[in-house]
Amino acid sequence: MAELRGSHGDQAHHILTSLFGTPDLHTLSVYESKGGYTALRKALLDMAPADITNEVKTSGLRGRGGAGFATGTKWSFINRDAPGPKYVVVNADESEPGTAKDRYILENCPHMVVEGILIAAYAVGANQAWVYIRGEYDEPSRMLQAAIEEARAKGYVGPKPFGKDFPLDIRLYRGHGAYICGEETALLESLEGKRAQPRSRPPFPAVKGAWGRPTLLNNVETLATVPAIINRGGAEYAKLGTAKNPGTRLLTVSGNVRKPGVYEVEIGKTFRHVIMELAGGPPEGRVVKVFWPGGSSAPVLPGSMLDMTTDAEALAAAKSMGGSGGVIVMDDSHCIVKAAHRLLQFYAHESCGKCTPCRIGQDWAVRTYERILANEGSQVELDILQRVSDGLQNGRCLCGLGDSGGWVIDSTLRHFREEYEDHALRHECRVGTVAPPALRATSPQVGRT
Amino acid sequence: MSSPNKSALPTHILDEIRELPARYPQPRSAVMPALDLAQEELGHLTPEAMSEVAEALSLDPGYVEGVATFYSLFHHQPIGKHRFYVCTNLSCMLRGANEVVDHLKQAIGVERSDQVSSDGLFSFEEVECLGACEYAPMMRLDHRYFYDLNDQKVDALVAERRGKPVVTAEKPKPKRVPRKKPGG
Amino acid sequence: MADINLTIDGQKTTVPPGTLIVEAAKTIGIEIPVFCYHHKLDPVGACRLCLVDITPGPPRPQTACTTPVAEGMVVRTQSAMAVQGRADILEFELANHPLDCPVCDKGGECPLQDFTFRHGYPISRIDGPRLHFKKPIPLSDKIALDRERCVLCYRCTRYYDEVAWEQELTTDQRGVQSFITSQFDQPLKSIFSGNIIDLCPVGALTSRVWRFESRPWDMTHTASVCSKCSVGCSVTLWQRRGQLVRVTSHENDDIDEGWICDRGRFDYTDVNDPARLRTPSINGARAAWADAISAVAAGIRGRGARLGVSLPQDITNEEAFLFRRLLDGPLKGARVKMHGRTAIPAPAGDLMRIKEIDDARVIVVVASDLEDDVPIVDLRVKKAVTKRGAKLIVVHPEGVDLDRHPGTVHIRNAKGSAAAEVRKLASHEWLKSPGGPVAILFGDGRGSEDVDELASACGDLAGQVGGREMALYRATNERGALAAGVAGWDKLDGVEALLSWGPPPTAGIPTSAKFVAAWDHLPRVGHDRAVVLPATTFAERQGSYTNLEGTVQFLRPPIPVLPPLKEGWEVLCELGAALGVALDFDGVLAIQRAISLPSPDLEPSPTPVLVGPAHP
Ligand SMILES: Cc1cc2nc3c(=O)[nH]c(=O)nc-3n(C[C@H](O)[C@H](O)[C@H](O)COP(=O)(O)O)c2cc1C
Ligand code: SF4
Ligand code: SF4
Ligand code: SF4
Ligand code: FES
Ligand code: FES
């Protein structure tokens, strides 16, 4: 395995990563020797399902996949006593640009994820869990599969885990290259063998999810946090972080920093701490020009806002969000227009095409950026960008992917209007060190004139 | 479509595909694992192969076509024995991914993602974030991730693969049913 | 549950619970524009054109097509948020839309045009390159697809999947590159393909049969009934300058729910055939009507069983009634053969109605591949199964269209043993406690079953399990002809004279026939040795049909019968006169009145669907 880049080892605030770095932690024996699976045993033998859910509620844990929904509350939406199958579906599709933390967990400690899944399944009354893992994650999926098999051999996955008469099973389903599969209803469609286009809600997955059955959907990191909450107690966990956004979370710091990596951070610390201290700040002689605080979908914040804290409330107040915890840092040697263009290419490429504004708008934005970057821009192009951005946000789209593209345009325009005007009106770039991004090949089926 | 006596997929693969549906709560979920098997066998998915997958799963070919063309990891044109999936998304771009791509193109002698090197060994594709941004720039190759890329590393990866013997018989047939042409 | 009260744009309305806002708005005449929503398809919320402002709710517009009403809800379609939302969506739709309106068959009846006019921005702000696709692409010999015009509402693919149970039409790729395609570019094969033309809200799917023929405002249309089979779907017939230029659906929830099959939609070009017969002829020489009629009368009079009469499947009730009079009188004893009829006997009592299939909990289909025999009934059964959860049992020796549902129980009987299989069904697990009505549909196995036996087995089963039967007559007016007693089943071999009403007998004109009279609309081999009377088609003819469930429906022809052409009933009246029977009717209405007097069998159904005068 590659050299670990990020938090590991015992530190006061390390909840997820304190064992990371232990040799062979991915094996069941080492994980168990460090206290692994005690939470599962406790949950199965000493706790009623409702108590588990309450403990998670008490912890104040919020989903780490992007939307930040209260995890305990989500669990309580599943009617445990409803007859027929129910499922836990684990979102391991991690594809948000700038986000690598689920991979980091899966490669270091797959058993922690297995344990969290099993606890969640028991809590909501599901006998089967499906992990939807992105197809490019060959190594993480091998490791997770191996962990499941080890747990199966031990009986933790099986008809009677720890002697409890509650069969538990975990299965893997591999994605095939589509960012939209991270969106929960698109993920469910994909899991059902369909084109991954989000479903219109209601019904919500808790009522009608995978294969039409009640389904709990959680992110890898969310579930990996559960064993710690069961072991320490929700109240203890809630002491970390902020009152409304307790605990720690993994922030993937990437881009123009000296020590990129996945850092476990107590929520509420500042981005200055994360970017300048943990990740070592920008290269020599450079300053942070802009950062994406929560993956490419989170509206950007300018370098002047490094003292912003990492909790959801503070970020919302600054018109951004904690998202997936992917902190992308860009220094002053790079051009914001080119960066925004690259991200819009991403959203256009990944738009599922189901709804009009996203299908057309993301592509329209890309073409407009291309005109601007080819020095063919004018005020017209700037107006188009603003208009497309408005049309992508504000509830126009069926799912969050549409908004995300709009936020990239909107937030970069808001904070860096002058740089846009440089390009569009004056046909110049104040940094100009990055080669113009390669244009993505369009499908052979379509042409453009 | 396929000639009556010769099918695109060998019998053992079709047998394997027929066993897939039972593993899922509903049989339709088997479509992607089945396409995986087909693609592993042929290198890329042909209309014939997709039709055979459909038949093995009791689905309409059109359904399988719709699914198979939605996902980026299914290929519909021949690809090299080794395909370089180079991430050029933001975190990687900020650390030189575009330069890596430029160098790679030269190293393998391929200009575009729909081309294959003349020896059939290599093709490449710029892809979106692969979830390993702390190691940017990075790529996926032969079911593995390679990190902290630079020109030397790319050269080494290419050279290493050139050294290995190539079984030309595995090369997918370049013949293709003509599809929709670019419009005008 | 109690009805729901809500307010839309200040107007109050009350609708049943579960109603979608978009439907609630229709009740008070408020237009919410839609592309992806269609009242016969499941809502998907894809196009986002139906954005409205809902209180209570989040400060964002929401889709009226996916949101059910709630008590006290206040919907605003005219708030700035809603108005701008819709205008933006329309602008996006137009960003890649080609400037095709001048050459587009949809022009004039195009929702994209209309909505842009009513809900879009008044000026175009779009510049820059548009996306291009190769166009148009033939999806089959009947349907063309123009991908540039497509707004990807997925109505066509959803219809295929949900309603027709087929996936030969699909979406390829994703995002802005996605496009509609037939599977691997092969021609569509489904007999239900044409409905996608009606469904498409833009000019992306057009009829190749009708392509570039005329603009919608050049045509007049009438709501009529299809003549191609016994289902009797409602259709709209469009004419321009005396030509039938297209056939589209015309929603009738009791029978077709807005769908028609490709036979009904595309099988009409013979109406406009330049070779259409307009004048009578005797042995190939043009003749006056009077001479031709006397020649026919002379040729067929008094021949008893040595006369053969061939009748078309779409004989009208009125013509059938007149034939009854002739066959009771001067043509007594003639052998009669009706095209395409099944061997199913006339119904003993009241049969099940098509719409009753909706409520069935278990549906049993015996000795028929509905797709071939009664296409639109096939779709009704599919709906009951997929949308309403009915269970389906098929008894048929071969694979049938309904097998596409994984839950279908298909009992493959040996040919001829369907009745025996039906007798076993009473003990079938699903039928022991069906939990609601059972529908039993039986055909004639295309001649392979003993139909009397089968009908009685189905009747018995219905009695045992609390079901209703539906006999699947096939010929367009088989029921009407049965009721009039002219649905003959006789062999025509050996007759000396033949009166061929409609197209020639399927087995050909018997070689024994020395005298042949033909009432036909197209020239045929042998007409030069016959007395030929020019015939009307379904696009000109007046009259009525009784469909398989017994509903009497009236043809409303869009094309007038211009001399020298005469109505069929008129020809029969004149023939009657020449044969010495007084058939003094001055129009179809008079015949209909006469029918309803002596023959209770022909009484119009209690809910006639298309009553009213024929074409003026
Ligand atoms: C476009 C889009 C992409 C998403 N991608 C991911 C993803 O890759 N991984 C993930 O866990 N959640 C992703 N989400 C969020 C999920 O929809 C969902 O909220 C989450 O998986 C729920 O888990 P949590 O409550 O544990 O966070 C995405 C959402 C959207 C709208
Ligand atoms: S917003 Fe984009 S990704 Fe989401 S449903 Fe619409 S088209 Fe698909
Ligand atoms: S072809 Fe027509 S019906 Fe089909 S998706 Fe396009 S616009 Fe909709
Ligand atoms: S089902 Fe019969 S009546 Fe209906 S459109 Fe088809 S041919 Fe005409
Ligand atoms: S941006 Fe390249 S791996 Fe994430
Ligand atoms: S009509 Fe409501 S989203 Fe399309």
Side-chain angles (χ1 to χ4, degrees), chain A residues 98, chain B residues 87 89 91-92 129-133 138:
Chain B
C87 172
N89 208 307
S91 304
C92 286
C129 178
L130 288 172
C133 326
M138 58 77 63

Side-chain angles (χ1 to χ4, degrees), chain A residues 177 195 200 349-356 359-360 367 384 387 394 396-398 443 445-449, chain C residues 46-48 61 66 88 92-93 96 125 127 129-133 151-152 154 171 173-177:
Chain A
R195 293 166 58 84
S200 152
H349 185 250
E350 300 301 328
S351 163
C352 81
K354 180 166 181 174
C355 72
T356 310
R359 180 180 71 243
I360 311 267
R367 285 184 277 147
I384 292 177
R387 192 157 103 210
N394 311 317
R396 305 290 172 72
C397 292
L398 177 60
S443 117
Q445 273 73 327
V446 280
R448 193 174 269 158
T449 53
Chain C
C47 75
R48 320 299 289 174
T66 58
D88 277 356
F92 280 137
E93 291 290 17
N96 283 315
R125 310 191 294 183
D127 55 356
R130 288 162 203 265
L131 222 82
H132 286 285
F133 286 94
V151 293
L152 281 171
Y154 306 104
T171 319
Q173 313 290 330
R174 70 172 184 232
V176 76
Q177 320 239 334

